Amino acid sequence: MGILGSKFQSPSQGLEDIAEGTSTNRKHGCECKKRKRNVPCDCESEQEEDDGLLDTPRRKKLKSTSRYIYQTLFLNGENSDIRICALGQEWNLHKVYLCQSGYFSSMFSGSWKESNMMEINLEIPDQNIDTEALQVVFGSLYRDDVLIKPSRVVSILAAACMLQLDGLIQQCGETMKENISTKTACGYYACASIYGLDSVMKKCLEWLLNNLMTHQNVELMKELSAEVMELLIQSSDLFVMQVEMDVYTALKKWMFLQLNALWDGPIKQLLADADAWLCKRRTDLCEKEPFLDTEDGLPFRSVFKHVRLQYIINDLASARILERDNILPPDWLTSVYKSQWFAMLRTEFDNDNGPHEANKDEFERSSMRCGRKLTKDGDYCWRWTGFNFGFDLLVTYTNRFIVFKRNTLSQPCGGAVSLQPRRHLAYRLRLASFDSRGKLVCSRSTGYQLLTLEKDQEYVVMNLDSRLLSFPLYVCCNFLYTSPHSDQRPDSSEQESAALVS
């Protein structure tokens, strides 16, 4: 058994800044008013052409009540019975409208001193709230719809939360979910965590899981906090390109950017500069201890801990990079080397043919993550790099089919392959394509599956509908080749060995 190499490397109606003034109609007076009263006026009613049209309903556009209320009561402040002062600005408002807010409703209905005051000074403790946000939020109490710009949604949400306006909070959440992108994902996630919008946090994480590896971006990596990165790296839903080693590489670039925020260059140059920085640091400081054990490296330990090293150390070139970088503590690697060595021995001598019972928890925690980008429609065949315990799995995309093949004798292989009659594996395969903002255009998933393959057997994993395909197409797979919790099994073997010796 040996190394497997890769063959292929609705929106709401706009909120006008200035509503229509009531003086417009005065400027354009009706000429018919100058006529005698008995002269019919075409401006006030439609002229009837014949008696047959008398019963035909006619539609006449009237000025919107909501627009009138917004203009007259909010913008003009007519008949105001309370003044709200905040952040150096004043609003002449009305208690009957303010009571739509839970904040003001409690203030006016209780025994608070403000309940009888004509002027209230609001303290604004939240730095996300500004006067523009308050203008929008107060104005929302006087009209049916509000325009929330994606660039202003954080401030508006903060003000809506302070004033306890559930409807506006919900609208802010929908606006955020519709506008997640490279520029907004981190900011929206942080905002949603502050104001308790769990659905927005979930949507942001889904976007990041899909785009962190498939569309790597310098600015996005600079913004990602260690807390969010840890959530992404530990997830089996992370869309990985190509193998687990690429997850480690992405983390190395991210860590470099966190410590060198002023770095400004193309994404293609980032890895080379990160490696050069690590090398210079080791040379200048004569550091022999692993970087994660240093003061600068400690904040990143919890993130690197979730890299699935068992799928990196099995590749010789990758293992050498780990040793050269000297980022990880040696005991991390030692325990993984030991675990994988016993896993290999079990597949050889303990007849471990792979998982044959459903264990989704183990699959989520420790499955091998890998992926591939199909630039255009065509025929593809590849295998993912890594030591797969003698299970040489070929993946083919052709004629809208994705096929797994357990290669044993029919195709050349760089290492030894298992000749056991049957091998089992657990897998999940996902396909996705994205628009320019990283939003899912289409996606398919097999879900968690168990599969048994005989020697050189092929299996159609997915049959694709061409109408749903959009290229480039991203393929992401999770695999588990060995039995879950098998490291607990040697007890019986040890007992048998002891009996033989005695």
Side-chain angles (χ1 to χ4, degrees), residues 26-41:
R26 301 193 190 107
K27 294 180 181 179
H28 304 284
C30 177
E31 292 295 327
C32 302
K33 298 297 183 182
K34 302 177 183 179
R35 304 175 186 173
K36 297 180 179 179
R37 293 181 181 271
N38 58 354
V39 179
C41 174

Side-chain angles (χ1 to χ4, degrees), residues 84-91 120-124 131 134 138:
I84 304 296
C85 305
L87 301 177
Q89 189 164 324
E90 298 178 352
W91 287 267
I120 295 176
N121 290 291
L122 284 184
E123 292 186 6
I124 309 295
T131 55
L134 290 175
F138 287 143

